[in-house]
Amino acid sequence: MAQTRTTDVLITGAGPVGLSAAAELRRHGVSCRLVDLLPARLPYAKAVGIQPRTLEIWDRMGLARTVLEAAVELGGQLIYVNGREQARIAMELPPEVPYRFAALPQYETERLIEEYVAALGTVIERGTELLSFTQDADGVTSRLRTASGAEEELRTRYLIGCDGAHSTVRKGLGLAFEGGAFPEGYMLADVETDWDLPHGYAVRSTHYGADGAIDDVLVAVPLPGANRYRMTMRIPPELTAEPGEAGSGAPGRPVTGDGVEHGLERGGRVPDLSHIQAVVDRLAPAPTTLSTMRWSSVFRISHRIVDRYGDGRVFVAGDAAHIHPPTGAQGMNTGIQDACNLAWKLALVLRGAAGPALLAGYDAERRPVGEEVVGRTVRHASGPGFHDDSDDSGTVLLREAQLLVGYRGGPLAGSPYGPADAPQPGDRAPDCAGLTVPIAAYPLRLLDVLRGRTGHVALLYGADAADLAGAAAGTLAAQSRLPGLRTVAVLARDAAEEASGALDVPGYRDAAGEFARLYRPDGPTGFLVRPDGYLAARFALADTAAALSGYLTALSG
């Protein structure tokens, strides 16, 4: 057996989550290998919804524009119950949110991130299976079987399992994966319609029986292309697998051998266009004839979450850590954020800029998010959809957009400062428009300032050049201990014209007052933004050095 040690991190699973982990690690200068058992991308539009928060992350990476050119906007949702329209939801977000909801077939999302990762020097090793692994105080030893059938022993510092609902990594760690399965089997299909419904609107049509329970459902999500949709519905009796056939003795269950009934069925009976048309005839809001079915499949849905997101030097992310109904397109996006949360922490630890205790913050921050998503999607899947949430519509959409995910009270969140209802440590750092510099003839967004940066960014807000220069000097000690830290001054609207010229750091004027409106600084105020776009600290400019020192202490554990 060949034995190699060529990389810092091994990632198993090259779906959107594994690819995102590889992308972030490579951006931070960490070497990694990315392996996947599949010989090629699956040609299925499984996860299709892309949330605004994910697009913000991709903007930081420099990937957002590529995705925008390929995706289609999700402008809203039409809700029907027993044939009658119950709601027409325009998925409108506040104007300061830079991106809207979008849809893109999963194989296209994977292709775009794969090309991005390849440009950074990591290529997917397809047909390669993780057989087993062991870990010790210094690293992880993994046994791989390559596409040629040869076995390899690989020694790495860390291992990340992004290998899906039936994760080898999760099983190897012995993590609990508690939950259950929905009793119904479902069909997926990629089809075209001839209905005349609003462009970019998804459709959710349910039928309630006499007992008050849902007995029929159709969900149609628009995809790029004229009148093209990914449709989901319950499996009809004629496609129910008999014992001993494609399932494990129950209707439509995929063969897994691990008791986790989740995902596309491999083999067995495949729905044809007539099966999909029959459901559409019953539930579609307008008569339509389907055509051009690109693919179809049967799948099952479970809801489970691990008891912890890692152990020692081995971690799980995405479906390896949490599975749930696809309601609201939360799964892939949650997994991508898992990967980004873990990657920057691993990078700092590998550089020696943070202690191993930092990695415990991955579970502390992300598992509560996973628990909330699993609970919410199960609740929404049992009703007409997220529009029946008890919160106001604006809050519901912000939550579905994953813009309300935060880590207040977490191990890395510093002490609150300023107005209680202002963005605080642990909150998402809001984007804002209207930042100007003398050389540019057009205003910038904060995302433009942050794009491409891999480290933390200290945003120093004030009107007085002396205050800003003093605070910038206070970041110098932190820069020697925190790789990639950059300092940017944000000058208040009433700052003197020559103030930016008196600074030794980049300066942007808050010409539109948007930064002040959204961040609500309490006088001269500093903000430390983490590599994943969350606030790490908020402090008075006069306390810059002390605030950053406190954060560095938290990083070191």
Side-chain angles (χ1 to χ4, degrees), residues 221-244:
V221 180
L223 296 174
N227 286 329
R228 180 184 172 194
Y229 290 80
R230 200 277 320 267
M231 293 191 173
T232 307
M233 59 210 69
R234 290 186 179 178
I235 187 171
E238 62 268 24
L239 287 182
T240 299
E242 297 296 334

Side-chain angles (χ1 to χ4, degrees), residues 5 7-10 135-141 154-159 312-315 346 349-352:
R5 179 172 182 170
T7 191
D8 289 318
V9 181
L10 172 64
Q135 64 172 311
D136 52 49
D138 299 318
V140 183
T141 301
L154 176 66
R155 182 73 174 169
T156 59
R157 299 280 298 279
Y158 295 95
L159 168 64
R313 292 176 172 269
V314 183
F315 305 90
L346 275 174
V349 172
L350 285 165
R351 291 178 179 179

